[in-house]
PDB file of all heavy atoms in Angstrom:
ATOM      1  N   LEU A   1    -113.919 -12.738 -13.155  1.00 94.00           N
ATOM      2  CA  LEU A   1    -112.706 -12.754 -13.918  1.00 94.00           C
ATOM      3  C   LEU A   1    -111.671 -12.045 -13.217  1.00 94.00           C
ATOM      4  O   LEU A   1    -110.885 -11.157 -13.776  1.00 94.00           O
ATOM      5  CB  LEU A   1    -112.873 -12.283 -15.319  1.00 94.00           C
ATOM      6  CG  LEU A   1    -113.779 -13.167 -16.112  1.00 94.00           C
ATOM      7  CD1 LEU A   1    -114.127 -12.312 -17.420  1.00 94.00           C
ATOM      8  CD2 LEU A   1    -113.132 -14.408 -16.461  1.00 94.00           C
ATOM      9  N   GLN A   2    -111.423 -12.240 -11.869  1.00 91.00           N
ATOM     10  CA  GLN A   2    -110.313 -11.635 -11.163  1.00 91.00           C
ATOM     11  C   GLN A   2    -110.000 -12.491 -10.027  1.00 91.00           C
ATOM     12  O   GLN A   2    -110.959 -13.196  -9.312  1.00 91.00           O
ATOM     13  CB  GLN A   2    -110.655 -10.221 -10.694  1.00 91.00           C
ATOM     14  CG  GLN A   2    -111.815 -10.095  -9.779  1.00 91.00           C
ATOM     15  CD  GLN A   2    -112.189  -8.615  -9.573  1.00 91.00           C
ATOM     16  OE1 GLN A   2    -111.641  -7.790 -10.030  1.00 91.00           O
ATOM     17  NE2 GLN A   2    -113.222  -8.516  -8.640  1.00 91.00           N
ATOM     18  N   SER A   3    -108.694 -12.463  -9.581  1.00 88.00           N
ATOM     19  CA  SER A   3    -108.244 -13.314  -8.476  1.00 88.00           C
ATOM     20  C   SER A   3    -108.573 -12.437  -7.115  1.00 88.00           C
ATOM     21  O   SER A   3    -108.202 -11.303  -6.986  1.00 88.00           O
ATOM     22  CB  SER A   3    -106.700 -13.553  -8.429  1.00 88.00           C
ATOM     23  OG  SER A   3    -106.436 -14.445  -9.581  1.00 88.00           O
ATOM     24  N   THR A   4    -109.302 -13.075  -6.226  1.00 84.00           N
ATOM     25  CA  THR A   4    -109.678 -12.315  -5.017  1.00 84.00           C
ATOM     26  C   THR A   4    -109.460 -13.286  -3.832  1.00 84.00           C
ATOM     27  O   THR A   4    -110.188 -14.350  -3.800  1.00 84.00           O
ATOM     28  CB  THR A   4    -111.113 -11.799  -4.871  1.00 84.00           C
ATOM     29  OG1 THR A   4    -111.867 -12.959  -5.346  1.00 84.00           O
ATOM     30  CG2 THR A   4    -111.237 -10.677  -6.052  1.00 84.00           C
ATOM     31  N   ASP A   5    -108.508 -13.089  -2.997  1.00 88.00           N
ATOM     32  CA  ASP A   5    -108.358 -13.861  -1.751  1.00 88.00           C
ATOM     33  C   ASP A   5    -109.603 -13.519  -0.899  1.00 88.00           C
ATOM     34  O   ASP A   5    -109.941 -12.407  -0.738  1.00 88.00           O
ATOM     35  CB  ASP A   5    -107.058 -13.584  -1.012  1.00 88.00           C
ATOM     36  CG  ASP A   5    -105.872 -13.982  -1.759  1.00 88.00           C
ATOM     37  OD1 ASP A   5    -106.063 -14.999  -2.563  1.00 88.00           O
ATOM     38  OD2 ASP A   5    -104.770 -13.371  -1.669  1.00 88.00           O
ATOM     39  N   ASP A   6    -110.135 -14.620  -0.140  1.00 94.00           N
ATOM     40  CA  ASP A   6    -111.196 -14.314   0.726  1.00 94.00           C
ATOM     41  C   ASP A   6    -110.828 -14.732   2.185  1.00 94.00           C
ATOM     42  O   ASP A   6    -109.671 -15.053   2.326  1.00 94.00           O
ATOM     43  CB  ASP A   6    -112.353 -15.116   0.284  1.00 94.00           C
ATOM     44  CG  ASP A   6    -113.792 -14.479   0.841  1.00 94.00           C
ATOM     45  OD1 ASP A   6    -113.881 -13.787   1.744  1.00 94.00           O
ATOM     46  OD2 ASP A   6    -114.672 -14.539  -0.032  1.00 94.00           O
ATOM     47  N   ILE A   7    -111.657 -14.811   3.086  1.00 96.00           N
ATOM     48  CA  ILE A   7    -111.360 -15.153   4.468  1.00 96.00           C
ATOM     49  C   ILE A   7    -111.137 -16.543   4.743  1.00 96.00           C
ATOM     50  O   ILE A   7    -110.646 -16.990   5.721  1.00 96.00           O
ATOM     51  CB  ILE A   7    -112.411 -14.609   5.504  1.00 96.00           C
ATOM     52  CG1 ILE A   7    -113.815 -15.353   5.197  1.00 96.00           C
ATOM     53  CG2 ILE A   7    -112.587 -13.028   5.350  1.00 96.00           C
ATOM     54  CD1 ILE A   7    -114.703 -14.903   6.395  1.00 96.00           C
ATOM     55  N   LEU A   8    -111.607 -17.509   3.722  1.00 96.00           N
ATOM     56  CA  LEU A   8    -111.360 -18.953   3.824  1.00 96.00           C
ATOM     57  C   LEU A   8    -109.986 -19.306   3.397  1.00 96.00           C
ATOM     58  O   LEU A   8    -109.576 -18.904   2.319  1.00 96.00           O
ATOM     59  CB  LEU A   8    -112.501 -19.648   3.086  1.00 96.00           C
ATOM     60  CG  LEU A   8    -113.873 -19.481   3.471  1.00 96.00           C
ATOM     61  CD1 LEU A   8    -114.794 -20.212   2.516  1.00 96.00           C
ATOM     62  CD2 LEU A   8    -114.156 -19.685   4.893  1.00 96.00           C
ATOM     63  N   ASP A   9    -109.201 -19.937   4.315  1.00 94.00           N
ATOM     64  CA  ASP A   9    -107.940 -20.371   4.017  1.00 94.00           C
ATOM     65  C   ASP A   9    -107.950 -21.861   3.629  1.00 94.00           C
ATOM     66  O   ASP A   9    -107.906 -22.704   4.538  1.00 94.00           O
ATOM     67  CB  ASP A   9    -106.973 -20.104   5.261  1.00 94.00           C
ATOM     68  CG  ASP A   9    -105.614 -20.461   4.934  1.00 94.00           C
ATOM     69  OD1 ASP A   9    -105.217 -20.883   3.795  1.00 94.00           O
ATOM     70  OD2 ASP A   9    -104.773 -20.346   5.922  1.00 94.00           O
ATOM     71  N   GLN A  10    -107.900 -22.160   2.274  1.00 95.00           N
ATOM     72  CA  GLN A  10    -107.927 -23.523   1.811  1.00 95.00           C
ATOM     73  C   GLN A  10    -107.366 -23.582   0.530  1.00 95.00           C
ATOM     74  O   GLN A  10    -107.342 -22.551  -0.140  1.00 95.00           O
ATOM     75  CB  GLN A  10    -109.380 -24.253   1.835  1.00 95.00           C
ATOM     76  CG  GLN A  10    -110.326 -23.266   1.016  1.00 95.00           C
ATOM     77  CD  GLN A  10    -111.809 -23.815   1.136  1.00 95.00           C
ATOM     78  OE1 GLN A  10    -112.084 -24.877   1.624  1.00 95.00           O
ATOM     79  NE2 GLN A  10    -112.795 -23.004   0.671  1.00 95.00           N
ATOM     80  N   ASP A  11    -106.746 -24.765   0.044  1.00 93.00           N
ATOM     81  CA  ASP A  11    -106.159 -24.880  -1.158  1.00 93.00           C
ATOM     82  C   ASP A  11    -107.261 -24.998  -2.239  1.00 93.00           C
ATOM     83  O   ASP A  11    -107.695 -26.112  -2.335  1.00 93.00           O
ATOM     84  CB  ASP A  11    -105.179 -25.879  -1.059  1.00 93.00           C
ATOM     85  CG  ASP A  11    -104.024 -25.644  -0.120  1.00 93.00           C
ATOM     86  OD1 ASP A  11    -103.674 -24.516  -0.016  1.00 93.00           O
ATOM     87  OD2 ASP A  11    -103.667 -26.587   0.435  1.00 93.00           O
ATOM     88  N   ILE A  12    -107.476 -24.058  -3.187  1.00 93.00           N
ATOM     89  CA  ILE A  12    -108.398 -24.188  -4.237  1.00 93.00           C
ATOM     90  C   ILE A  12    -108.033 -25.224  -5.210  1.00 93.00           C
ATOM     91  O   ILE A  12    -108.910 -25.941  -5.684  1.00 93.00           O
ATOM     92  CB  ILE A  12    -108.611 -22.755  -4.932  1.00 93.00           C
ATOM     93  CG1 ILE A  12    -109.025 -21.742  -3.887  1.00 93.00           C
ATOM     94  CG2 ILE A  12    -109.640 -22.989  -5.983  1.00 93.00           C
ATOM     95  CD1 ILE A  12    -110.365 -22.113  -3.244  1.00 93.00           C
ATOM     96  N   ASP A  13    -106.804 -25.335  -5.515  1.00 93.00           N
ATOM     97  CA  ASP A  13    -106.439 -26.463  -6.458  1.00 93.00           C
ATOM     98  C   ASP A  13    -106.774 -27.815  -5.879  1.00 93.00           C
ATOM     99  O   ASP A  13    -106.885 -28.638  -6.756  1.00 93.00           O
ATOM    100  CB  ASP A  13    -104.971 -26.309  -6.816  1.00 93.00           C
ATOM    101  CG  ASP A  13    -104.088 -26.449  -5.696  1.00 93.00           C
ATOM    102  OD1 ASP A  13    -104.524 -26.170  -4.538  1.00 93.00           O
ATOM    103  OD2 ASP A  13    -102.955 -26.926  -5.882  1.00 93.00           O
ATOM    104  N   GLN A  14    -106.920 -27.925  -4.685  1.00 94.00           N
ATOM    105  CA  GLN A  14    -107.214 -29.276  -4.056  1.00 94.00           C
ATOM    106  C   GLN A  14    -108.746 -29.422  -4.040  1.00 94.00           C
ATOM    107  O   GLN A  14    -109.283 -30.596  -4.127  1.00 94.00           O
ATOM    108  CB  GLN A  14    -106.636 -29.358  -2.699  1.00 94.00           C
ATOM    109  CG  GLN A  14    -105.142 -29.417  -2.681  1.00 94.00           C
ATOM    110  CD  GLN A  14    -104.415 -30.593  -3.425  1.00 94.00           C
ATOM    111  OE1 GLN A  14    -104.942 -31.651  -3.181  1.00 94.00           O
ATOM    112  NE2 GLN A  14    -103.595 -30.324  -4.284  1.00 94.00           N
ATOM    113  N   VAL A  15    -109.511 -28.421  -3.758  1.00 95.00           N
ATOM    114  CA  VAL A  15    -110.886 -28.577  -3.434  1.00 95.00           C
ATOM    115  C   VAL A  15    -111.839 -27.980  -4.396  1.00 95.00           C
ATOM    116  O   VAL A  15    -113.081 -28.064  -4.483  1.00 95.00           O
ATOM    117  CB  VAL A  15    -111.331 -27.957  -2.107  1.00 95.00           C
ATOM    118  CG1 VAL A  15    -110.542 -28.568  -0.937  1.00 95.00           C
ATOM    119  CG2 VAL A  15    -111.111 -26.386  -2.116  1.00 95.00           C
ATOM    120  N   GLY A  16    -111.230 -27.282  -5.513  1.00 96.00           N
ATOM    121  CA  GLY A  16    -112.028 -26.558  -6.510  1.00 96.00           C
ATOM    122  C   GLY A  16    -113.003 -27.517  -7.303  1.00 96.00           C
ATOM    123  O   GLY A  16    -114.215 -27.185  -7.392  1.00 96.00           O
ATOM    124  N   THR A  17    -112.504 -28.620  -7.597  1.00 97.00           N
ATOM    125  CA  THR A  17    -113.433 -29.667  -8.434  1.00 97.00           C
ATOM    126  C   THR A  17    -114.584 -30.124  -7.512  1.00 97.00           C
ATOM    127  O   THR A  17    -115.682 -30.238  -7.896  1.00 97.00           O
ATOM    128  CB  THR A  17    -112.630 -30.594  -8.951  1.00 97.00           C
ATOM    129  OG1 THR A  17    -111.502 -30.270  -9.867  1.00 97.00           O
ATOM    130  CG2 THR A  17    -113.537 -31.629  -9.852  1.00 97.00           C
ATOM    131  N   SER A  18    -114.190 -30.315  -6.201  1.00 97.00           N
ATOM    132  CA  SER A  18    -115.168 -30.900  -5.262  1.00 97.00           C
ATOM    133  C   SER A  18    -116.202 -29.888  -5.075  1.00 97.00           C
ATOM    134  O   SER A  18    -117.468 -30.246  -4.965  1.00 97.00           O
ATOM    135  CB  SER A  18    -114.511 -31.231  -3.981  1.00 97.00           C
ATOM    136  OG  SER A  18    -113.635 -32.311  -4.067  1.00 97.00           O
ATOM    137  N   ILE A  19    -115.983 -28.553  -5.015  1.00 97.00           N
ATOM    138  CA  ILE A  19    -117.001 -27.506  -4.873  1.00 97.00           C
ATOM    139  C   ILE A  19    -117.925 -27.562  -5.998  1.00 97.00           C
ATOM    140  O   ILE A  19    -119.180 -27.534  -5.827  1.00 97.00           O
ATOM    141  CB  ILE A  19    -116.213 -26.180  -4.646  1.00 97.00           C
ATOM    142  CG1 ILE A  19    -115.513 -26.066  -3.318  1.00 97.00           C
ATOM    143  CG2 ILE A  19    -117.315 -25.042  -4.752  1.00 97.00           C
ATOM    144  CD1 ILE A  19    -114.698 -24.839  -3.178  1.00 97.00           C
ATOM    145  N   LEU A  20    -117.473 -27.542  -7.157  1.00 97.00           N
ATOM    146  CA  LEU A  20    -118.286 -27.587  -8.307  1.00 97.00           C
ATOM    147  C   LEU A  20    -119.167 -28.832  -8.483  1.00 97.00           C
ATOM    148  O   LEU A  20    -120.316 -28.916  -8.794  1.00 97.00           O
ATOM    149  CB  LEU A  20    -117.549 -27.320  -9.573  1.00 97.00           C
ATOM    150  CG  LEU A  20    -116.751 -26.069  -9.836  1.00 97.00           C
ATOM    151  CD1 LEU A  20    -116.221 -25.811 -11.178  1.00 97.00           C
ATOM    152  CD2 LEU A  20    -117.515 -24.915  -9.478  1.00 97.00           C
ATOM    153  N   ASN A  21    -118.457 -29.976  -8.081  1.00 97.00           N
ATOM    154  CA  ASN A  21    -119.256 -31.378  -8.096  1.00 97.00           C
ATOM    155  C   ASN A  21    -120.319 -31.309  -6.995  1.00 97.00           C
ATOM    156  O   ASN A  21    -121.316 -31.772  -7.316  1.00 97.00           O
ATOM    157  CB  ASN A  21    -118.287 -32.398  -7.792  1.00 97.00           C
ATOM    158  CG  ASN A  21    -117.375 -32.779  -9.022  1.00 97.00           C
ATOM    159  OD1 ASN A  21    -116.514 -33.578  -8.819  1.00 97.00           O
ATOM    160  ND2 ASN A  21    -117.669 -32.271 -10.106  1.00 97.00           N
ATOM    161  N   TYR A  22    -120.007 -30.706  -5.889  1.00 97.00           N
ATOM    162  CA  TYR A  22    -121.109 -30.633  -4.850  1.00 97.00           C
ATOM    163  C   TYR A  22    -122.259 -29.863  -5.221  1.00 97.00           C
ATOM    164  O   TYR A  22    -123.343 -30.189  -4.925  1.00 97.00           O
ATOM    165  CB  TYR A  22    -120.386 -30.035  -3.514  1.00 97.00           C
ATOM    166  CG  TYR A  22    -121.324 -29.791  -2.427  1.00 97.00           C
ATOM    167  CD1 TYR A  22    -121.731 -30.815  -1.576  1.00 97.00           C
ATOM    168  CD2 TYR A  22    -121.943 -28.615  -2.202  1.00 97.00           C
ATOM    169  CE1 TYR A  22    -122.626 -30.615  -0.580  1.00 97.00           C
ATOM    170  CE2 TYR A  22    -122.928 -28.357  -1.195  1.00 97.00           C
ATOM    171  CZ  TYR A  22    -123.223 -29.374  -0.326  1.00 97.00           C
ATOM    172  OH  TYR A  22    -124.019 -29.247   0.670  1.00 97.00           O
ATOM    173  N   TYR A  23    -122.010 -28.771  -5.970  1.00 97.00           N
ATOM    174  CA  TYR A  23    -123.142 -28.054  -6.412  1.00 97.00           C
ATOM    175  C   TYR A  23    -123.697 -28.456  -7.749  1.00 97.00           C
ATOM    176  O   TYR A  23    -124.496 -27.685  -8.470  1.00 97.00           O
ATOM    177  CB  TYR A  23    -122.778 -26.584  -6.532  1.00 97.00           C
ATOM    178  CG  TYR A  23    -122.699 -25.774  -5.178  1.00 97.00           C
ATOM    179  CD1 TYR A  23    -121.378 -25.469  -4.498  1.00 97.00           C
ATOM    180  CD2 TYR A  23    -123.930 -25.657  -4.426  1.00 97.00           C
ATOM    181  CE1 TYR A  23    -121.406 -24.897  -3.250  1.00 97.00           C
ATOM    182  CE2 TYR A  23    -123.880 -25.011  -3.150  1.00 97.00           C
ATOM    183  CZ  TYR A  23    -122.600 -24.645  -2.503  1.00 97.00           C
ATOM    184  OH  TYR A  23    -122.596 -24.183  -1.331  1.00 97.00           O
ATOM    185  N   ASN A  24    -123.249 -29.575  -8.310  1.00 97.00           N
ATOM    186  CA  ASN A  24    -123.714 -30.059  -9.577  1.00 97.00           C
ATOM    187  C   ASN A  24    -123.451 -29.048 -10.746  1.00 97.00           C
ATOM    188  O   ASN A  24    -124.281 -29.007 -11.529  1.00 97.00           O
ATOM    189  CB  ASN A  24    -125.134 -30.526  -9.435  1.00 97.00           C
ATOM    190  CG  ASN A  24    -125.517 -31.541 -10.523  1.00 97.00           C
ATOM    191  OD1 ASN A  24    -124.618 -32.275 -10.966  1.00 97.00           O
ATOM    192  ND2 ASN A  24    -126.759 -31.638 -10.676  1.00 97.00           N
ATOM    193  N   ILE A  25    -122.268 -28.466 -10.690  1.00 97.00           N
ATOM    194  CA  ILE A  25    -122.098 -27.619 -11.874  1.00 97.00           C
ATOM    195  C   ILE A  25    -121.189 -28.362 -12.879  1.00 97.00           C
ATOM    196  O   ILE A  25    -119.958 -28.667 -12.538  1.00 97.00           O
ATOM    197  CB  ILE A  25    -121.208 -26.293 -11.365  1.00 97.00           C
ATOM    198  CG1 ILE A  25    -122.019 -25.587 -10.382  1.00 97.00           C
ATOM    199  CG2 ILE A  25    -120.869 -25.397 -12.575  1.00 97.00           C
ATOM    200  CD1 ILE A  25    -121.335 -24.302  -9.660  1.00 97.00           C
ATOM    201  N   SER A  26    -121.664 -28.688 -14.029  1.00 97.00           N
ATOM    202  CA  SER A  26    -121.044 -29.665 -14.803  1.00 97.00           C
ATOM    203  C   SER A  26    -120.259 -29.062 -16.011  1.00 97.00           C
ATOM    204  O   SER A  26    -119.336 -29.642 -16.509  1.00 97.00           O
ATOM    205  CB  SER A  26    -122.190 -30.637 -15.576  1.00 97.00           C
ATOM    206  OG  SER A  26    -122.666 -31.476 -14.463  1.00 97.00           O
ATOM    207  N   TYR A  27    -120.599 -27.871 -16.342  1.00 98.00           N
ATOM    208  CA  TYR A  27    -120.043 -27.196 -17.505  1.00 98.00           C
ATOM    209  C   TYR A  27    -119.612 -25.800 -17.172  1.00 98.00           C
ATOM    210  O   TYR A  27    -120.409 -25.059 -16.508  1.00 98.00           O
ATOM    211  CB  TYR A  27    -120.777 -27.216 -18.817  1.00 98.00           C
ATOM    212  CG  TYR A  27    -120.935 -28.576 -19.347  1.00 98.00           C
ATOM    213  CD1 TYR A  27    -122.115 -29.388 -18.946  1.00 98.00           C
ATOM    214  CD2 TYR A  27    -120.071 -29.020 -20.089  1.00 98.00           C
ATOM    215  CE1 TYR A  27    -122.350 -30.600 -19.549  1.00 98.00           C
ATOM    216  CE2 TYR A  27    -120.153 -30.256 -20.773  1.00 98.00           C
ATOM    217  CZ  TYR A  27    -121.349 -31.125 -20.469  1.00 98.00           C
ATOM    218  OH  TYR A  27    -121.439 -32.399 -20.984  1.00 98.00           O
TER     219      TYR A  27
END
């Protein structure tokens, strides 16, 4: 529950859903 920038430079709003889908996180 906190915003933390990490070393990966990518647009989370573009790939966030794909990351959860990839790991089969449905809810």
Side-chain angles (χ1 to χ4, degrees):
L1 294 172
Q2 59 183 9
S3 295
T4 52
D5 293 330
D6 209 326
I7 64 173
L8 299 179
D9 185 3
Q10 57 187 348
D11 295 328
I12 298 303
D13 60 334
Q14 296 296 313
V15 301
T17 302
S18 292
I19 292 173
L20 297 191
N21 283 172
Y22 175 81
Y23 284 108
N24 201 20
I25 301 170
S26 292
Y27 291 96

